[in-house]
Amino acid sequence: MLKTFDLVLIGVMTATATVTYTIKHRAELKVEEVHRLEAEIKLEKDTIDLLKADWALQSQPNRLERLVKAYNEELKLQPTESTALVHAKELPMLKSEVPVPDVTEAKVSAKGATVASAKSATEASAKSAPGTKGAQATAKAQPVPMPAPRGEAEDADQIETGSVEE
């Protein structure tokens, strides 16, 4: 009985050693991955700092002024006039403040145009199909959807936002 107990203990110790090694190996892999990610993050932060420094050099007013003078004939740049600037109250309304247009009339007229065009398309296909009866041709013909006329659609899509004037 002592020999079987010894074999069981040896088996348990082997299994424990295997599990411990596996856990240690996985932990080492995770530590390596953390170090790799930290190195990538540091590289990205360094790149961001370098790009910020480059942007600061590229956007210096003295440099931009020299470029404007050098390429003034080609670009024909003009200084911004003070009248071109607007105040916040002069800006158009926000999209959330825009009233919802009444599009039921546009939909009704668009549906009427679609039904009329579908009827004419069905009649044309019935006439163009020789040897078929009119009822069979109209049953087989699919109505072709037509877009709404341009004039009505433009009226429905245009929303006046305007500016606040006193």
Side-chain angles (χ1 to χ4, degrees):
M1 181 164 136
L2 200 52
K3 291 186 179 187
T4 44
F5 183 69
D6 290 341
L7 291 176
V8 170
L9 284 179
I10 290 173
V12 169
M13 287 175 43
T14 307
T16 306
T18 305
V19 168
T20 305
Y21 176 76
T22 306
I23 291 172
K24 179 185 174 237
H25 182 66
R26 287 183 185 167
E28 288 174 351
L29 290 177
K30 293 295 182 183
V31 167
E32 287 177 10
E33 184 179 355
V34 166
H35 288 304
R36 183 184 55 83
L37 289 173
E38 286 175 347
E40 285 182 22
I41 290 170
K42 185 179 181 320
L43 178 67
E44 290 295 325
K45 284 182 179 180
D46 291 345
T47 304
I48 289 170
D49 290 341
L50 181 66
L51 290 172
K52 283 181 180 178
D54 188 40
W55 178 254
L57 287 174
Q58 295 293 327
S59 62
Q60 285 181 343
N62 294 336
R63 179 184 174 278
L64 294 175
E65 188 176 342
R66 278 186 286 129
L67 289 173
V68 166
K69 288 178 182 175
Y71 297 104
N72 193 25
E73 293 178 14
E74 293 177 33
L75 298 177
K76 298 177 184 171
L77 298 175
Q78 299 291 328
T80 305
E81 297 180 19
S82 62
T83 57
L85 303 175
V86 296
H87 297 287
K89 66 180 183 180
E90 297 174 331
L91 294 174
M93 291 188 292
L94 298 173
K95 285 186 177 183
S96 61
E97 297 173 355
V98 174
V100 178
D102 185 25
V103 293
T104 55
E105 295 175 9
K107 287 182 180 178
V108 169
S109 62
K111 286 181 182 177
T114 305
V115 170
S117 63
K119 285 182 182 178
S120 64
T122 325
E123 291 172 1
S125 65
K127 290 178 183 176
S128 65
T132 59
K133 295 182 181 176
Q136 291 174 343
T138 53
K140 291 180 183 178
Q142 296 286 333
V144 179
M146 298 297 289
R150 295 281 302 170
E152 294 174 8
E154 288 175 354
D155 293 340
D157 289 342
Q158 289 183 357
I159 299 172
E160 292 185 27
T161 55
S163 61
V164 180
E165 296 178 15
E166 295 181 31

